[in-house]
Amino acid sequence: EADIYQTPRYLVIGTGKKITLECSQTMGHDKMYWYQQDPGMELHLIHYSYGVNSTEKGDLSSESTVSRIRTEHFPLTLESARPSHTSQYLCASSRDLSGANVLTFGAGSRLTVL
Amino acid sequence: DAKTTQPPSMDCAEGRAANLPCNHSTISGNEYVYWYRQIHSQGPQYIIHGLKNNETNEMASLIITEDRKSSTLILPHATLRDTAVYYCIVRPRSNDYKLSFGAGTTVTVRA
């Protein structure tokens, strides 16, 4: 069983609202990631962190921001949600396995902005 | 990073082996081959990875050609629950830990 948790699983909000998607992992992993995926489309990396106080932007530009104050938490924030932010957001953390980097994903947060 | 090429879709019969091909002709010596799958809209699930040798675990087997330019993921006895998008990813062993997921192969297991 994956020990990475995302809340909320589903969120429907109005335009202009501030939202925070929570991601927590109990595995003590230093590396964490946020991916964005539209229905039927590819996953795109939007943020990642290799440790506390370390955050970087991913391959896809995103208006969201992230923070990493504690090892186990990697929340994602949208200051002012817009319909274009409607998507699924997937959080992951990773461990070293025989020299390879193996990701464990959460169940995702599906965001709908009206 | 080496680019991978996978067929967009494939069908297989329940109970039969599913053989999923992946081409990575530009792979370099320090790059791992990873396989993940994504069932419906759940988060992707790690399946297996390898560097040079063939690998097997409880989920699947990974066969890597001797020149490492292609690989095959084998699901030995496909079930309906194996219907998913399967991603083949090549990534170096380095301090850059990001994984990029392409389009993958949509595998449909039919009864």
Side-chain angles (χ1 to χ4, degrees):
Chain A
E1 293 292 327
D3 296 305
I4 182 162
Y5 307 99
Q6 292 188 239
T7 57
R9 289 291 312 281
Y10 302 92
L11 180 62
V12 180
I13 59 168
T15 297
K17 299 292 186 183
K18 177 180 179 179
I19 64 137
T20 296
L21 305 180
E22 300 288 347
C23 177
S24 298
Q25 51 99 2
T26 59
M27 298 173 282
H29 293 168
D30 288 328
K31 298 178 278 293
M32 297 189 73
Y33 315 82
W34 277 101
Y35 287 82
Q36 182 177 345
Q37 185 177 35
D38 293 334
M41 305 299 283
E42 297 181 16
L43 288 109
H44 294 285
L45 180 68
I46 53 174
H47 299 284
Y48 62 98
S49 167
Y50 288 168
V52 171
N53 295 324
S54 160
T55 61
E56 301 288 343
K57 291 190 177 297
D59 304 324
L60 179 69
S61 176
S62 173
E63 294 172 340
S64 59
T65 60
V66 292
S67 62
R68 191 86 184 277
I69 298 172
R70 292 161 55 185
T71 298
E72 59 270 27
H73 291 154
F74 192 37
L76 181 147
T77 299
L78 278 165
E79 290 293 334
S80 180
R82 296 205 300 268
S84 61
H85 297 140
T86 295
S87 190
Q88 175 162 247
Y89 295 85
L90 290 153
C91 180
S93 68
S94 68
R95 71 187 194 279
D96 182 273
L97 182 63
S98 303
N101 188 41
V102 174
L103 271 65
T104 299
F105 280 83
S109 291
R110 190 174 297 279
L111 173 65
T112 301
V113 184
L114 303 176
Chain B
D1 299 343
K3 179 180 171 57
T4 62
T5 303
Q6 298 178 253
S9 64
M10 61 182 293
D11 288 0
C12 67
E14 187 179 22
R16 305 294 294 270
N19 298 297
L20 283 62
C22 180
N23 287 320
H24 30 79
S25 58
T26 61
I27 194 171
S28 62
N30 70 338
E31 290 186 308
Y32 284 86
V33 179
Y34 297 83
W35 283 86
Y36 284 76
R37 73 179 183 183
Q38 186 174 26
I39 296 173
H40 193 44
S41 55
Q42 298 176 20
Q45 176 189 26
Y46 164 80
I47 300 172
I48 199 167
H49 75 278
L51 186 61
K52 296 180 182 178
N53 301 320
N54 298 336
E55 302 289 343
T56 295
N57 63 20
E58 64 279 4
M59 291 182 67
S61 295
L62 174 61
I63 308 299
I64 302 174
T65 58
E66 192 169 343
D67 63 9
R68 302 187 68 242
K69 293 184 177 182
S70 66
S71 60
T72 301
L73 180 75
I74 300 173
L75 307 177
H77 305 287
T79 70
L80 298 179
R81 286 177 293 183
D82 291 322
T83 293
V85 179
Y86 287 77
Y87 301 98
C88 171
I89 303 166
V90 172
R91 202 70 182 89
R93 180 178 183 174
S94 70
N95 291 330
D96 185 354
Y97 301 102
K98 306 189 298 293
L99 286 185
S100 296
F101 292 78
T105 297
T106 299
V107 174
T108 303
V109 180
R110 302 192 184 279

